[in-house]
Amino acid sequence: MKAEVRGNTTSISLQNPSLFNNSPQNPLSGALQGCLGSLDGACIEKLLLHCASALESNDGTLAQQVMWVLNNVASLVGDPNQRLTSWFLRALISRASKVCPTAMNFDGSSTIQRRHMTVTELAVYVDLIPWHRFGFCASNSAIFKAIEGYSRVHILDFSITHCMQWPTLIDALAKRPEGPPSLRITVPSCRPPVPPFLNVSYEEVGLRLSNFAKFRDVPFEFNVIGDDHQLSDHHQMMGKESSSEYFHFESLLNHLTPALLSLREDEALVINCQNWIRYLSDEQQSGVRGFSLRDSFLRTIKGLSPSIVVVVDEDSDVSAPSLTSRITTCFNYLWIPFDALETFLPKESSQRIEYEADIGHKIENIISFEGFQRIERLESGVKLSQRMRNAGFCSAPFCEETLGEVKSLLDEHASGWGMKREEDMLVLTWKGHNSVFATAWVPSGLEDY
């Protein structure tokens, strides 16, 4: 078998495939009945699981046979199932190249070309579907309520969207009846090596925010913490995000102290976590009382006595060690953005293909990698909520004003988007399926903030 990646297409050729042999000895014969030419999601999922099982048992021949079938279904410009299949196939080929390197002529180290956006392109990216804006809207509304009466506000921002959340909040603060507070935003020097990537530095982002705040008459300060931020910026600008070795969050924990953050008693401290906590390792650290980095982070920020902590992430669980479990969860979850984009963008839209390629980046990491290289370790909103309670936080329910603002936001998008309350969470849905959750928390004892 020969597999190659050229641009945005995956090309596979398999000589003399035996998958058409319907003998009882062929494990694929039953699974393939009625599947060839079918775009049924359930059938595609079965094929993906057959391939995963073959790879887990080091059966390269069977894996190649299934990939041949998947390649005849996959298309980057087809319907949502075909498009999603193409990215799963790419990830499986990448994984197979590691498991069976002699059978695969494939360089799995650089399967997806990274693209770096301008600030304008990033704004369009964020606005395309409410995947990010839902979290921005819910979080900003909760933050606005939590900082009522404060003349100083400090936001410690952990996110992957390069501060795109904050112009809207700055604008709201400028209209506050009692006048805007002075606002400080602090970002960490490192970020997970995941899309979206930006072609400007942290300093440039801070300068743009500062200019906007000045225009809105909001006193503003922007800081980057972590000694290695210049190195991190360099790697981002050079397009080297594909390696997780540049995500040095462990060392950053040492910077999360009142002294190094220059915390002030008269300011409200806000901790903002947008699509971030999933990238912190959940494996127990030796010598840290059995805590994982994820739990250590939550206990560290609780020790800072924040006025509010907002956590937003995708409502799915892809942390299982089993490849087949991850494929099932991932396939049945990530069809959502593919299906949503189908409602308003043409099949050959470059904007749509690029957006889906960023989702493909996620799929590749979930499927192709293991160990420290697999950084996509998302957990469901229910699990995250329990983790927050275990770390000493109490839920801060979203108010009716927040619900109204989120509803107005969703009215700007396709009718398939909706929201619902679910335990501690506000959840973004697509055709009734959970996609993104938003939660707000306060340290135990500060529930009446």
Side-chain angles (χ1 to χ4, degrees):
M1 180 175 182
K2 183 177 181 181
E4 299 176 347
V5 173
R6 299 189 184 95
N8 278 330
T9 62
T10 303
S11 174
I12 306 177
S13 61
L14 178 66
Q15 296 187 359
N16 301 320
S18 60
L19 70 162
F20 295 113
N21 177 8
N22 290 325
S23 68
Q25 287 76 28
N26 190 335
L28 271 179
S29 59
L32 291 175
Q33 291 297 325
C35 279
L36 286 178
S38 168
L39 304 182
D40 176 73
C43 179
I44 295 172
E45 182 183 346
K46 286 181 182 179
L47 290 170
L48 293 172
L49 293 176
H50 273 291
C51 188
S53 297
L55 291 175
E56 287 188 316
S57 60
N58 295 318
D59 188 341
T61 299
L62 178 58
Q64 290 177 46
Q65 292 176 345
V66 184
M67 288 179 190
W68 190 91
V69 181
L70 289 169
N71 191 57
N72 282 276
V73 174
S75 170
L76 286 174
V77 291
D79 67 20
N81 276 337
Q82 291 176 297
R83 300 167 85 101
L84 183 58
T85 300
S86 68
W87 291 109
F88 271 88
L89 176 59
R90 182 188 291 262
L92 286 168
I93 294 171
S94 177
R95 186 181 181 97
S97 71
K98 302 176 181 68
V99 176
C100 310
T102 58
M104 295 284 185
N105 181 15
F106 179 75
D107 179 11
S109 62
S110 58
T111 61
I112 299 178
Q113 183 177 1
R114 311 297 187 244
R115 64 183 179 116
H116 289 72
M117 304 179 194
T118 64
V119 174
T120 301
E121 289 171 336
L122 179 60
V124 174
Y125 173 94
V126 167
D127 286 343
L128 198 58
I129 59 176
W131 206 262
H132 293 291
R133 290 185 68 202
F134 164 81
F136 295 172
C137 183
S139 298
N140 283 350
S141 181
I143 291 168
F144 190 86
K145 180 177 182 296
I147 62 177
E148 286 179 355
Y150 281 92
S151 60
R152 295 178 180 271
V153 177
H154 185 182
I155 298 175
L156 187 53
D157 183 30
F158 300 94
S159 69
I160 63 171
T161 49
H162 310 279
C163 296
M164 287 299 296
Q165 176 176 349
W166 303 125
T168 302
L169 180 65
I170 291 172
D171 189 61
L173 292 176
K175 302 172 184 175
R176 207 168 68 160
E178 66 271 34
S182 63
L183 176 64
R184 280 202 295 160
I185 294 179
T186 297
V187 300
S189 60
C190 57
R191 74 180 292 275
V194 297
F197 301 124
L198 195 61
N199 66 353
V200 299
S201 67
Y202 287 109
E203 286 75 10
E204 174 66 19
V205 170
L207 179 61
R208 287 170 179 264
L209 281 177
S210 181
N211 288 337
F212 181 75
K214 183 178 181 180
F215 173 73
R216 301 298 288 128
D217 293 323
V218 176
F220 184 79
E221 180 182 332
F222 186 84
N223 299 298
V224 179
I225 55 170
D227 295 334
D228 60 343
H229 78 271
Q230 291 179 337
L231 176 64
S232 177
D233 278 344
H234 171 71
H235 286 304
Q236 291 184 33
M237 292 295 291
M238 297 301 292
K240 297 182 179 179
E241 300 87 347
S242 57
S243 174
S244 61
E245 64 181 300
Y246 299 124
F247 182 41
H248 298 300
F249 196 84
E250 293 88 340
S251 63
L252 189 65
L253 277 180
N254 298 326
H255 293 266
L256 302 183
T257 66
L260 292 177
L261 292 171
S262 301
L263 299 188
R264 304 162 185 164
E265 292 185 359
D266 62 342
E267 69 180 0
L269 176 63
V270 173
I271 310 291
N272 183 66
C273 301
Q274 301 273 337
N275 301 289
W276 180 275
I277 292 179
R278 79 176 90 153
Y279 297 111
L280 306 181
S281 171
D282 195 27
E283 297 178 1
Q284 290 188 351
Q285 297 173 285
S286 59
V288 195
R289 294 187 297 171
F291 291 152
S292 67
L293 178 61
R294 197 170 298 189
D295 290 326
S296 295
F297 169 72
L298 294 179
R299 284 168 169 77
T300 297
I301 62 173
K302 180 178 182 293
L304 299 176
S305 301
S307 299
I308 189 171
V309 177
V310 287
V311 180
V312 175
D313 219 320
E314 298 169 2
D315 196 13
S316 184
D317 192 335
V318 296
S319 61
S322 164
L323 175 61
T324 54
S325 296
R326 296 202 303 272
I327 284 180
T328 296
T329 302
C330 190
F331 186 77
N332 286 285
Y333 174 69
L334 287 177
W335 71 270
I336 294 175
F338 281 82
D339 191 56
L341 292 170
E342 174 81 357
T343 64
F344 68 98
L345 286 178
K347 293 185 183 301
E348 296 188 1
S349 162
S350 60
Q351 186 181 36
R352 177 177 176 181
I353 292 172
E354 288 174 345
Y355 195 98
E356 290 171 346
D358 287 344
I359 304 172
H361 182 287
K362 183 198 308 290
I363 293 171
E364 181 183 37
N365 189 261
I366 293 170
I367 304 305
S368 180
F369 294 96
E370 296 292 349
F372 73 92
Q373 290 183 314
R374 179 162 61 86
I375 63 172
E376 289 280 351
R377 295 177 180 268
L378 181 67
E379 62 184 352
S380 68
V382 171
K383 283 189 177 181
L384 186 281
S385 293
Q386 185 58 55
R387 187 184 295 275
M388 295 295 293
R389 288 190 287 269
N390 292 343
F393 290 94
C394 292
S395 174
F398 292 103
C399 63
E400 291 301 319
E401 288 85 353
T402 298
L403 300 182
E405 291 180 23
V406 173
K407 184 180 184 302
S408 296
L409 165 68
L410 298 183
D411 287 342
E412 302 174 11
H413 293 271
S415 59
W417 295 105
M419 70 169 178
K420 64 180 180 180
R421 288 181 182 268
E422 195 171 279
E423 297 185 3
D424 299 318
M425 305 179 293
L426 191 61
V427 182
L428 173 69
T429 63
W430 172 253
K431 296 181 178 178
H433 298 270
N434 288 18
S435 58
V436 178
F437 70 86
T439 56
W441 305 87
V442 294
S444 298
L446 295 180
E447 293 87 344
D448 296 326
Y449 71 102

